[in-house]
Amino acid sequence: MTIREIPAETLDPVRFIEEKCEALAAETAGGIAVNALSGGVDSSVTTMLAHRALGDRLKTFFIDNGLMRKNEPEFVVETMEKLGVPVVLVDAKDEFFSALRGVGDPEQKRQVITDTFYQSVFGRLVRESGATFLLQGTIYTDVEETVAGIKRQHNILSQLGIDTEEAYGYKVIEPLIELRKTGVRAVGKALGLPESIWNRPPFPGPALVARVIGEAAPEKIDLIRNATAIVEEELAGVDAFQYLAVLHEDRVTGVRDGSRRYGNQIEIRCWDSLDATEARPTRLPFDLLETMAARITSEIPEVVSVTYNITTKPPSTIEAL
Ligand code: XMP
């Protein structure tokens, strides 16, 4: 199948929404559809669009994997419910943490997240829901990256471990597949999503696991969650592509209350970039860097060292994993 791109310059978001809603309603006539909402731009826009087209026939799940940012599950679910979209919040924290136990290798950690999500948690929800349609927020860039071998295949059926024959009747629908991120944001805005959703900075699928070097144990996820909240609060007004905190595995000596303390190190990264393929560290004011260091070390006592990344991508990448 050849997918035709709709460039942002030629996109009419209102017309796109009308046409997609009509097509979705026709394609799913009478059936139940499910989707997983992560709170990211693509899945939020897919949810809103499908809700408009399907109403009660859409079942949206938000899977709380315990790896999200501070208050993220509540924020996303409440935002959607305010817009009239019911969301089922599924607590799968224990399942994810037990799957991640003892796993330190970066690629293996990503694989564990994918497998736990698709094969265990979402797979079970899909089977139990009696749905005949799966909605997915795949966008044009995902298709390009899949073809280029950069990203894993996006076919949800194979990710679910469902054989095509066995899965007869499960149809995957990807309503945003002709759009790139700029187009998706424009559609999200036209759908009435708040700017805090349609204009969100990127956040990786493996969530805070991508921000912890080594094993992503619950206490390390808690620590990076707190550091992330501080960095996001302090940098909210900065015109940057993305900003984040990384928890390192190595520890360093520091001083607390007059005695030596072997503590954790946090690295702050803040990027100027157009599309994440190349990036430069943002030239943040030194005062702002000092404020973040002071807040992180006083609000998170286990941390005794804060650094700022000054490397470009390439050779660095935006995330540390
Ligand atoms: P890197 O680290 O490869 O990141 O320079 C490029 C952009 O992609 C985001 N990223 C991900 N997004 N799933 C996602 O949906 C992932 O596994 C993932 N890993 C990285 C990253 O935040 C940056 O914007």
Side-chain angles (χ1 to χ4, degrees):
M1 183 178 74
T2 319
I3 297 154
R4 180 183 57 100
E5 179 194 349
I6 306 177
E9 307 78 58
T10 62
L11 172 73
D12 174 347
V14 174
R15 223 183 91 203
F16 178 90
I17 294 165
E18 279 168 15
E19 288 176 3
K20 282 292 161 192
C21 283
E22 273 176 35
L24 278 173
E27 208 171 347
T28 61
I32 303 258
V34 289
N35 79 315
L37 169 68
S38 70
V41 181
D42 306 341
S43 76
S44 301
V45 172
T46 303
T47 302
M48 203 57 206
L49 194 62
H51 171 74
R52 208 176 264 199
L54 277 76
D56 293 350
R57 291 190 293 111
L58 175 72
K59 274 191 200 166
T60 298
F61 296 103
F62 183 100
I63 295 167
D64 182 359
N65 54 14
L67 312 167
M68 312 266 177
R69 286 171 288 183
K70 211 174 222 173
N71 304 323
E72 179 82 355
E74 297 77 11
F75 165 71
V76 176
V77 172
E78 280 167 21
T79 304
M80 282 298 176
E81 294 200 329
K82 270 191 214 146
L83 294 164
V85 185
V87 179
V88 181
L89 180 60
V90 180
D91 180 355
K93 296 191 213 53
D94 291 346
E95 235 166 311
F96 278 88
F97 279 121
S98 35
L100 284 164
R101 196 169 301 138
V103 184
D105 176 73
E107 280 311 305
Q108 232 183 321
K109 288 199 294 189
R110 283 172 178 270
Q111 192 64 47
V112 166
I113 303 275
T114 307
D115 292 348
T116 309
F117 183 87
Y118 286 108
Q119 284 166 15
S120 307
V121 185
F122 191 49
R124 186 168 63 233
L125 294 168
V126 171
R127 284 190 294 275
E128 288 170 3
S129 69
T132 39
F133 300 96
L134 298 172
L135 281 149
Q136 217 192 355
T138 314
I139 68 170
Y140 195 77
T141 331
D142 298 329
V143 179
E144 278 183 333
E145 290 183 344
T146 303
V147 171
I150 297 168
K151 251 188 197 170
R152 259 186 283 263
Q153 174 59 262
H154 264 71
N155 182 336
I156 202 170
L157 289 179
S158 62
Q159 285 175 332
L160 282 166
I162 297 172
D163 159 87
T164 328
E165 282 202 18
E166 257 182 44
Y168 179 71
Y170 276 88
K171 184 153 194 259
V172 179
I173 305 179
E174 296 169 313
L176 307 181
I177 203 151
E178 300 137 309
L179 305 178
R180 289 182 190 269
K181 196 65 100 191
T182 315
V184 178
R185 292 192 198 278
V187 170
K189 187 177 181 188
L191 278 165
L193 284 166
E195 184 170 356
S196 53
I197 296 277
W198 63 256
N199 207 16
R200 292 198 109 175
F203 186 71
L208 295 173
V209 167
R211 310 266 168 96
V212 171
I213 312 293
E215 184 183 348
E219 61 280 6
K220 288 192 176 180
I221 292 289
D222 273 347
L223 196 159
I224 196 65
R225 182 180 287 120
N226 289 332
T228 302
I230 295 169
V231 169
E232 290 194 351
E233 262 171 56
E234 293 297 332
L235 298 184
V238 168
D239 184 21
F241 176 80
Q242 195 169 356
Y243 34 82
L244 54 121
V246 178
L247 171 60
H248 282 275
E249 196 169 26
D250 283 347
R251 299 209 286 165
V252 291
T253 299
V255 183
R256 285 256 179 231
D257 306 321
S259 58
R260 291 163 83 83
R261 174 86 68 90
Y262 202 45
N264 292 105
Q265 322 181 47
I266 288 286
E267 175 190 340
I268 298 169
R269 294 179 172 204
C270 181
W271 298 105
D272 291 340
S273 177
L274 285 178
D275 56 7
T277 49
E278 290 181 357
R280 300 190 71 82
T282 307
R283 297 197 169 202
L284 293 175
F286 211 88
D287 287 354
L288 192 49
L289 291 169
E290 284 183 328
T291 303
M292 287 192 284
R295 278 196 64 189
I296 290 170
T297 49
S298 71
E299 294 172 37
I300 312 172
E302 299 94 319
V303 179
V304 296
S305 166
V306 177
T307 59
Y308 185 58
N309 169 66
I310 49 167
T311 321
T312 56
K313 173 183 178 176
S316 181
T317 50
I318 290 197
E319 305 288 344
L321 288 193

